[in-house]
Amino acid sequence: MQTYFDSSSKLSWGFVKYQNSRQAIPLILAESTSQTLDKNAPDEETTTWVEVHGKQVTGEYQMVSQGTMVPSMVYINKKSGKKTAFGLNSGAATDTGSCDWQ
């Protein structure tokens, strides 16, 4: 998952590209909330990204992060309702700043 934010338009978008896929799938930020768990730590943020494939919403990603830590990321398939949890690969950070999820 790679995400972007344009400060002039306040638009957030991104994409996912699966390991054996040739094509990236666009994502649009649907919701973002944050809460302070400890005044001496970064806020915990929960973001929901809508996956758009072939002009249809096909699923969504829900990610919880706190600073650089991502304790939870789940994909929900819109058609089946099936949830898939991802774990961050310990050597996940790539040279481009993206992460390698499994």
Side-chain angles (χ1 to χ4, degrees):
M1 174 187 281
Q2 188 109 18
T3 60
Y4 302 92
F5 175 72
D6 178 57
S7 59
S8 64
S9 67
K10 306 287 190 227
L11 179 65
S12 293
W13 71 96
F15 67 88
V16 292
K17 186 170 182 222
Y18 293 99
Q19 186 174 6
N20 295 322
S21 177
R22 293 181 182 172
Q23 183 178 354
I25 301 170
L27 303 173
I28 299 171
L29 181 65
E31 184 177 8
S32 181
T33 60
S34 65
Q35 65 178 358
T36 302
L37 303 176
D38 180 337
K39 67 178 182 169
N40 297 316
D43 286 351
E44 180 180 85
E45 292 191 47
T46 302
T47 53
T48 301
W49 296 87
V50 175
E51 175 184 69
V52 181
H53 186 64
K55 298 182 183 179
Q56 294 182 339
V57 173
T58 54
E60 69 181 32
Y61 291 84
Q62 295 174 342
M63 184 171 69
V64 176
S65 62
Q66 187 175 16
T68 59
M69 300 293 295
V70 181
S72 173
M73 187 160 130
V74 176
Y75 172 74
I76 303 166
N77 182 291
K78 183 176 174 158
K79 190 174 186 178
S80 69
K82 180 182 175 187
K83 293 183 179 184
T84 303
F86 292 86
L88 185 60
N89 179 344
S90 60
T94 67
D95 293 338
T96 62
S98 62
C99 291
D100 180 17
W101 289 88
Q102 300 178 345

